[in-house]
Amino acid sequence: MNIWIIGAIITLVLGVIIGNILLLKQSANQELSKPTKDNNESYDRFEDKDD
């Protein structure tokens, strides 16, 4: 294979790996918001309705 193709593939793979690591570091510093209500309040998947 041509050396330029191999170099481009290696650069692309390293860019994806480094980008994912930087995104993980950035998201680790963010706080998750607390839910204000129960989103599943009106949903019960285990209860059958016999109407």
Side-chain angles (χ1 to χ4, degrees):
M1 289 181 87
N2 194 352
I3 191 71
W4 294 106
I5 296 173
I6 295 172
I9 292 172
I10 291 173
T11 303
L12 183 67
V13 169
L14 286 176
V16 168
I17 292 171
I18 292 171
N20 286 334
I21 290 171
L22 292 175
L23 282 173
L24 282 173
K25 286 179 68 174
Q26 182 181 7
S27 65
N29 296 330
Q30 294 179 350
E31 290 186 20
L32 295 175
S33 61
K34 304 275 184 194
T36 56
K37 66 174 187 167
D38 185 13
N39 290 334
N40 295 325
E41 183 177 355
S42 64
Y43 175 72
D44 189 4
R45 67 179 181 181
F46 298 115
E47 185 175 321
D48 292 333
K49 294 184 178 180
D50 296 322
D51 291 343

